Structure formats: C-alpha cells, structure tokens
C-alpha cells in the first residue's frame, strides 16, 4: 500500500540564515549577494539540502509512532532562490523499513529536486530520539 503526502512551503532569507548558523556553510554563492549577482544565477542560491529538510515535517510514521532517517539521497536539478514557493510530494510504502520517494517542485510545476528517504520506525527510532540533540533547525512549516 502506498500513500501520497504533500507539503507546500516558501523558502525565505531567515531559513537560509538559520541553516548557515547551524551548518557553518557560508559559501559565497549562498550568502554574498554581490558575489551571487556575478554568478550564472544572478542572486544568492538556497542551499540545496534546505528544502529537502522539509521531508522531516511529513507524517511518515503515523499517529503515535516515531521514525528516524536511515538513509537519504537527493538529486538537485535546478537552483532555488529565496522567496520561492515550493511543494514537496512524497510517496511511501508502509513498513518498519520504508522507502519514501520524494519530489520538490516550484510554483510552475518544474521539478527542482528528487530523492529517496529510507526510514526506520518503532523502537529503533525511539532509541535514536533519546540521544542528546546537537542542534536544531526550526523551519516553521505550515500547519
């Protein structure tokens, strides 16, 4: 059995700044408007993995259950600029080890990122969630 999950969100400068603070990735293409204007993109580009993090906002485990990432792979097909409205669509098969295929599209429906997330649920995920957190990136997805 599979299920489609969807989440719409807008990437903004505050999210990019939080991502930079958490990861330390201060690449000029992402953080320096003057540098980015001279690039082929003409504006700062959002870190490719930032929109992928919204996979974590999807209800992958179901009510009352927990899950954790076991493996993640992504293919970045085009850049994202701050201010873009994006939609994350994921399809998953139910099970303790579950593969989730996802796709992120822009407002025009163009695919910007595709990927696969393998999750683990149940006791394995609960044990992992008991570990001490090293940092947090709160992206404030819509409710």
């Amino acid at each position: 059995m599979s299920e489609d999950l969807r989440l719409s969100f807008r990437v903004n400068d505050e999210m990019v700044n939080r991502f930079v603070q958490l990861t330390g990735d201060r690449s000029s293409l992402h953080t320096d408007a003057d540098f980015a204007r001279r690039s082929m993109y003409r504006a700062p580009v959002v870190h490719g993995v930032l929109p992928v993090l919204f996979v974590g906002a999807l209800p992958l485990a179901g009510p009352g259950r927990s899950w954790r990432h076991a493996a993640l792979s992504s293919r970045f097909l085009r850049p994202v600029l701050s201010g873009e409205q994006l939609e994350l669509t994921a399809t998953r098969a139910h099970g303790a080890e579950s593969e989730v295929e996802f796709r992120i599209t822009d407002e025009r429906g163009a695919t910007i990122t595709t990927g696969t997330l393998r999750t683990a649920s149940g006791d394995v995920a609960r044990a992992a969630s008991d570990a001490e957190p090293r940092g947090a990136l709160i992206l404030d997805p819509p409710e």
Side-chain angles (χ1 to χ4, degrees):
M1 179 174 166
S2 67
E3 176 183 359
D4 285 336
L5 303 166
R6 293 182 184 277
L7 178 66
S8 293
F9 57 96
R10 184 175 303 278
V11 178
N12 61 45
D13 290 340
E14 183 180 353
M15 289 177 189
V16 173
N17 291 336
R18 288 179 181 183
F19 186 88
V20 167
Q21 289 172 359
L22 182 66
T23 66
D25 183 349
R26 289 175 173 72
S27 169
S28 297
L29 184 60
H30 305 302
T31 61
D32 183 336
D34 291 332
F35 177 88
R37 259 192 295 284
R38 293 188 306 270
S39 76
M40 63 189 279
Y41 306 110
R42 301 295 200 219
V45 175
V46 172
H47 299 78
V49 76
L50 196 155
V52 173
L53 293 175
F54 277 88
V55 169
L58 295 172
L60 297 175
R65 296 195 42 117
S66 58
W67 65 275
R68 69 171 177 83
H69 292 89
L72 175 68
S73 65
S74 298
R75 185 168 178 223
F76 305 107
L77 304 174
R78 77 161 200 80
V80 174
L81 305 179
S82 184
E84 286 193 65
Q85 180 72 30
L86 304 175
E87 181 168 89
L88 168 63
T89 304
T91 304
R92 69 180 170 103
H94 297 285
E97 285 285 318
S98 183
E99 279 208 356
V100 178
E101 301 275 330
F102 65 89
R103 184 170 78 124
I104 301 173
T105 56
D106 65 15
E107 295 171 279
R108 296 171 301 285
T111 300
I112 60 164
T113 305
T114 60
T116 303
L117 169 69
R118 199 179 66 189
T119 66
S121 62
D123 294 336
V124 172
R126 274 190 276 293
S129 68
D130 291 339
E132 177 129 355
R134 294 191 173 125
L137 178 63
I138 301 169
L139 297 174
D140 301 325
E143 294 185 22

